[in-house]
Amino acid sequence: MLGSTYEEKRQIFAKNLMLGKLSETEIDALVRYARVEFYPANEEIFAKDSPGNSLFLVLRGNVRVSSISLNGKEIVLNIINEGELLGEIGVLDGGPRTGDAFAMTDCELLVLNRRDFMPYLEKHPEICLMLIKILCERLRRTSEQVEDLVFRHVKGRIAKALLQLSRRSGRSQVSSGLLELHLSQSELGNIVGSTRESVNKQLTEWEEQGIVAIAKELIIIREAAKLEQMV
Protein backbone atom coordinates (compact mmCIF):
# COMPACT_ATOMS: atom_id res chain seq x y z
CA MET A 1 0.00 0.00 0.00
CA LEU A 2 1.27 3.49 -0.88
CA GLY A 3 2.87 5.28 2.03
CA SER A 4 2.89 2.22 4.29
CA THR A 5 6.65 2.20 4.92
CA TYR A 6 8.65 4.76 6.86
CA GLU A 7 10.59 5.93 3.80
CA GLU A 8 7.45 6.20 1.63
CA LYS A 9 5.73 8.35 4.26
CA ARG A 10 8.85 10.49 4.58
CA GLN A 11 8.86 11.13 0.81
CA ILE A 12 5.20 12.15 0.97
CA PHE A 13 5.97 14.73 3.66
CA ALA A 14 9.03 16.05 1.84
CA LYS A 15 7.14 16.54 -1.46
CA ASN A 16 4.08 18.18 0.10
CA LEU A 17 3.92 21.94 -0.52
CA MET A 18 3.18 22.68 3.14
CA LEU A 19 4.74 19.87 5.18
CA GLY A 20 7.86 19.94 3.02
CA LYS A 21 8.82 23.24 4.69
CA LEU A 22 9.72 21.35 7.87
CA SER A 23 13.33 20.44 8.56
CA GLU A 24 14.52 16.87 7.98
CA THR A 25 14.57 16.27 11.73
CA GLU A 26 11.01 17.55 12.14
CA ILE A 27 9.79 15.49 9.19
CA ASP A 28 11.39 12.39 10.71
CA ALA A 29 9.61 13.09 14.01
CA LEU A 30 6.22 13.57 12.36
CA VAL A 31 6.59 10.47 10.17
CA ARG A 32 6.78 8.39 13.32
CA TYR A 33 3.30 9.62 14.26
CA ALA A 34 1.74 9.50 10.79
CA ARG A 35 -0.26 6.54 9.56
CA VAL A 36 -1.92 5.57 6.30
CA GLU A 37 -5.61 4.62 6.30
CA PHE A 38 -7.58 3.04 3.46
CA TYR A 39 -11.26 3.79 2.81
CA PRO A 40 -13.20 1.97 0.08
CA ALA A 41 -15.59 3.96 -2.11
CA ASN A 42 -18.70 5.27 -0.29
CA GLU A 43 -17.29 4.61 3.20
CA GLU A 44 -17.58 7.35 5.83
CA ILE A 45 -14.28 8.94 6.86
CA PHE A 46 -15.74 11.13 9.59
CA ALA A 47 -19.17 12.43 10.60
CA LYS A 48 -20.37 15.98 11.12
CA ASP A 49 -20.00 17.12 14.76
CA SER A 50 -17.50 14.35 15.55
CA PRO A 51 -14.24 15.44 17.27
CA GLY A 52 -11.81 17.19 14.91
CA ASN A 53 -8.75 15.45 16.27
CA SER A 54 -6.89 14.54 13.06
CA LEU A 55 -5.67 16.05 9.80
CA PHE A 56 -5.77 14.08 6.54
CA LEU A 57 -3.71 14.34 3.36
CA VAL A 58 -5.35 12.62 0.38
CA LEU A 59 -2.77 10.33 -1.22
CA ARG A 60 -5.14 8.68 -3.67
CA GLY A 61 -8.81 9.14 -4.57
CA ASN A 62 -11.43 11.81 -3.98
CA VAL A 63 -13.37 12.75 -0.84
CA ARG A 64 -16.81 14.36 -0.66
CA VAL A 65 -17.58 16.71 2.23
CA SER A 66 -21.30 17.30 2.63
CA SER A 67 -24.13 18.07 5.00
CA ILE A 68 -27.44 16.19 5.21
CA SER A 69 -30.73 17.69 6.40
CA LEU A 70 -33.20 15.95 8.71
CA ASN A 71 -35.29 14.90 5.71
CA GLY A 72 -32.25 13.33 4.01
CA LYS A 73 -31.42 16.05 1.47
CA GLU A 74 -27.67 16.34 0.89
CA ILE A 75 -25.66 19.38 -0.19
CA VAL A 76 -22.02 18.92 -1.19
CA LEU A 77 -19.79 21.50 0.49
CA ASN A 78 -16.47 20.50 -1.06
CA ILE A 79 -14.67 17.80 -3.01
CA ILE A 80 -11.11 17.09 -1.86
CA ASN A 81 -8.76 15.73 -4.50
CA GLU A 82 -5.42 13.94 -4.42
CA GLY A 83 -2.71 16.02 -2.77
CA GLU A 84 -5.16 18.21 -0.82
CA LEU A 85 -5.79 18.48 2.92
CA LEU A 86 -8.95 17.37 4.69
CA GLY A 87 -10.17 18.15 8.21
CA GLU A 88 -8.09 21.27 8.77
CA ILE A 89 -10.84 23.30 10.48
CA GLY A 90 -11.31 20.93 13.40
CA VAL A 91 -7.55 20.50 13.79
CA LEU A 92 -6.95 24.25 13.94
CA ASP A 93 -9.69 25.24 16.39
CA GLY A 94 -10.13 21.95 18.25
CA GLY A 95 -13.86 22.01 17.52
CA PRO A 96 -16.15 19.41 15.90
CA ARG A 97 -16.22 18.49 12.22
CA THR A 98 -18.23 20.91 10.06
CA GLY A 99 -19.49 18.25 7.63
CA ASP A 100 -19.64 14.56 6.78
CA ALA A 101 -16.71 13.17 4.75
CA PHE A 102 -17.15 10.15 2.46
CA ALA A 103 -14.76 8.44 0.06
CA MET A 104 -16.07 9.02 -3.47
CA THR A 105 -13.58 6.45 -4.80
CA ASP A 106 -11.20 4.07 -3.08
CA CYS A 107 -9.00 6.38 -1.00
CA GLU A 108 -5.67 6.30 0.79
CA LEU A 109 -5.20 9.01 3.39
CA LEU A 110 -2.16 10.04 5.39
CA VAL A 111 -3.36 10.82 8.92
CA LEU A 112 -1.81 13.06 11.59
CA ASN A 113 -3.31 13.47 15.04
CA ARG A 114 -3.91 17.03 16.22
CA ARG A 115 -1.80 16.56 19.37
CA ASP A 116 1.20 15.64 17.20
CA PHE A 117 0.71 18.30 14.51
CA MET A 118 -0.05 21.42 16.56
CA PRO A 119 3.40 21.68 18.22
CA TYR A 120 4.98 21.91 14.76
CA LEU A 121 2.40 24.42 13.59
CA GLU A 122 3.23 26.70 16.54
CA LYS A 123 6.89 26.74 15.52
CA HIS A 124 6.32 27.41 11.82
CA PRO A 125 4.37 30.59 10.96
CA GLU A 126 4.85 29.90 7.24
CA ILE A 127 2.80 26.71 7.58
CA CYS A 128 0.13 28.66 9.46
CA LEU A 129 0.00 31.14 6.55
CA MET A 130 -0.40 28.31 4.05
CA LEU A 131 -3.26 26.84 6.08
CA ILE A 132 -4.89 30.27 6.21
CA LYS A 133 -4.57 30.47 2.41
CA ILE A 134 -6.23 27.05 2.04
CA LEU A 135 -9.07 28.11 4.35
CA CYS A 136 -9.56 31.37 2.45
CA GLU A 137 -9.71 29.58 -0.90
CA ARG A 138 -12.34 27.19 0.41
CA LEU A 139 -14.33 30.01 2.01
CA ARG A 140 -14.32 31.85 -1.33
CA ARG A 141 -15.65 28.72 -3.06
CA THR A 142 -18.37 28.34 -0.43
CA SER A 143 -19.42 31.99 -0.79
CA GLU A 144 -19.50 31.58 -4.57
CA GLN A 145 -21.57 28.41 -4.21
CA VAL A 146 -24.16 30.24 -2.09
CA GLU A 147 -24.37 33.06 -4.63
CA ASP A 148 -24.82 30.58 -7.48
CA LEU A 149 -27.63 28.78 -5.65
CA VAL A 150 -29.47 32.06 -5.19
CA PHE A 151 -28.74 33.91 -8.43
CA ARG A 152 -27.71 31.42 -11.13
CA HIS A 153 -30.05 29.19 -13.16
CA VAL A 154 -29.56 25.43 -12.76
CA LYS A 155 -28.20 25.11 -16.32
CA GLY A 156 -25.42 27.57 -15.55
CA ARG A 157 -24.72 25.91 -12.19
CA ILE A 158 -24.24 22.51 -13.83
CA ALA A 159 -21.96 23.93 -16.53
CA LYS A 160 -19.89 25.82 -13.96
CA ALA A 161 -19.61 22.82 -11.63
CA LEU A 162 -18.40 20.54 -14.44
CA LEU A 163 -15.73 23.02 -15.48
CA GLN A 164 -14.54 23.66 -11.92
CA LEU A 165 -14.42 19.98 -11.03
CA SER A 166 -12.42 19.12 -14.14
CA ARG A 167 -9.93 21.92 -13.50
CA ARG A 168 -9.43 21.12 -9.83
CA SER A 169 -9.01 17.39 -10.40
CA GLY A 170 -6.60 18.00 -13.27
CA ARG A 171 -8.08 15.11 -15.19
CA SER A 172 -7.76 14.77 -18.94
CA GLN A 173 -7.60 11.01 -19.27
CA VAL A 174 -9.55 10.26 -22.43
CA SER A 175 -7.67 12.14 -25.14
CA SER A 176 -6.63 15.67 -26.03
CA GLY A 177 -9.48 18.11 -25.44
CA LEU A 178 -11.68 15.61 -23.58
CA LEU A 179 -12.07 15.81 -19.81
CA GLU A 180 -13.24 12.87 -17.74
CA LEU A 181 -15.05 13.16 -14.40
CA HIS A 182 -15.91 10.20 -12.21
CA LEU A 183 -19.04 11.19 -10.32
CA SER A 184 -22.68 10.22 -10.38
CA GLN A 185 -25.50 12.45 -11.55
CA SER A 186 -26.88 12.36 -8.00
CA GLU A 187 -23.55 13.67 -6.67
CA LEU A 188 -23.53 16.40 -9.32
CA GLY A 189 -27.09 17.30 -8.31
CA ASN A 190 -26.02 17.60 -4.68
CA ILE A 191 -23.15 19.86 -5.70
CA VAL A 192 -25.37 22.27 -7.66
CA GLY A 193 -28.39 22.05 -5.33
CA SER A 194 -30.69 20.34 -7.81
CA THR A 195 -32.35 16.95 -8.33
CA ARG A 196 -30.85 14.02 -10.18
CA GLU A 197 -33.74 14.22 -12.63
CA SER A 198 -32.97 17.84 -13.52
CA VAL A 199 -29.28 17.06 -13.91
CA ASN A 200 -30.02 14.04 -16.10
CA LYS A 201 -32.35 16.07 -18.32
CA GLN A 202 -29.69 18.74 -18.87
CA LEU A 203 -26.85 16.29 -19.45
CA THR A 204 -28.96 14.28 -21.89
CA GLU A 205 -29.68 17.48 -23.84
CA TRP A 206 -25.97 18.33 -23.92
CA GLU A 207 -25.11 14.78 -24.97
CA GLU A 208 -27.43 15.10 -27.96
CA GLN A 209 -25.61 18.33 -28.85
CA GLY A 210 -22.20 16.65 -28.55
CA ILE A 211 -21.11 18.78 -25.60
CA VAL A 212 -20.76 15.89 -23.13
CA ALA A 213 -20.96 12.12 -23.03
CA ILE A 214 -22.52 10.35 -20.06
CA ALA A 215 -22.33 6.87 -18.60
CA LYS A 216 -22.78 5.33 -15.15
CA GLU A 217 -20.88 7.54 -12.68
CA LEU A 218 -18.92 9.06 -15.57
CA ILE A 219 -19.22 12.38 -17.40
CA ILE A 220 -16.92 13.25 -20.31
CA ILE A 221 -16.69 16.89 -21.33
CA ARG A 222 -16.28 17.09 -25.12
CA GLU A 223 -16.80 20.82 -25.68
CA ALA A 224 -15.56 22.78 -22.65
CA ALA A 225 -15.76 26.06 -24.61
CA LYS A 226 -19.51 25.63 -25.06
CA LEU A 227 -19.96 25.06 -21.33
CA GLU A 228 -17.94 28.24 -20.70
CA GLN A 229 -20.50 30.19 -22.73
CA MET A 230 -23.29 29.06 -20.38
CA VAL A 231 -21.58 30.18 -17.17
Side-chain angles (χ1 to χ4, degrees), residues 4 6 9 13 26 31 34 36 39 43 57 67 80 85 94 97 130 135 148 154 168 174 199 201 203 208 216 227 230:
S4 57
Y6 181 92
K9 287 189 289 187
F13 274 78
E26 289 166 329
V31 167
V36 174
Y39 293 86
E43 182 168 317
L57 173 64
S67 184
I80 311 298
L85 294 175
R97 301 296 190 189
M130 294 192 74
L135 287 170
D148 287 343
V154 65
R168 286 188 58 213
V174 185
V199 169
K201 180 180 179 181
L203 291 178
E208 292 171 353
K216 185 178 180 181
L227 291 179
M230 304 175 198

Side-chain angles (χ1 to χ4, degrees), residues 6 23 30 56 66 84-85 97 111 118 130 139 141 150 159 163 178 202 211 216 225:
Y6 181 92
S23 69
L30 268 183
F56 302 86
S66 60
E84 295 183 328
L85 294 175
R97 301 296 190 189
V111 187
M118 290 305 291
M130 294 192 74
L139 179 58
R141 285 204 299 266
V150 175
L163 291 168
L178 302 183
Q202 186 60 70
I211 298 173
K216 185 178 180 181

Side-chain angles (χ1 to χ4, degrees), residues 144-204:
E144 190 175 343
Q145 183 180 23
V146 172
E147 289 181 0
D148 287 343
L149 288 171
V150 175
F151 300 123
R152 195 182 295 274
H153 188 272
V154 65
K155 180 178 180 178
R157 298 205 302 269
I158 296 172
K160 185 175 181 179
L162 290 176
L163 291 168
Q164 288 182 335
L165 289 170
S166 64
R167 289 165 184 159
R168 286 188 58 213
S169 64
R171 287 178 178 167
S172 182
Q173 301 176 355
V174 185
S175 64
S176 179
L178 302 183
L179 300 170
E180 185 178 85
L181 289 171
H182 290 272
L183 79 164
S184 70
Q185 294 180 29
S186 295
E187 288 171 332
L188 182 55
N190 292 335
I191 291 170
V192 301
S194 186
T195 64
R196 182 196 178 281
E197 291 74 20
S198 295
V199 169
N200 177 260
K201 180 180 179 181
Q202 186 60 70
L203 291 178
T204 300

Side-chain angles (χ1 to χ4, degrees), residues 106-131:
D106 290 348
C107 290
E108 281 180 311
L109 307 177
L110 187 71
V111 187
L112 273 171
N113 288 333
R114 183 176 190 270
R115 65 175 181 270
D116 301 320
F117 182 63
M118 290 305 291
Y120 293 88
L121 198 61
E122 293 169 356
K123 297 177 183 177
H124 292 273
E126 70 274 19
I127 294 182
C128 292
L129 290 174
M130 294 192 74
L131 277 173

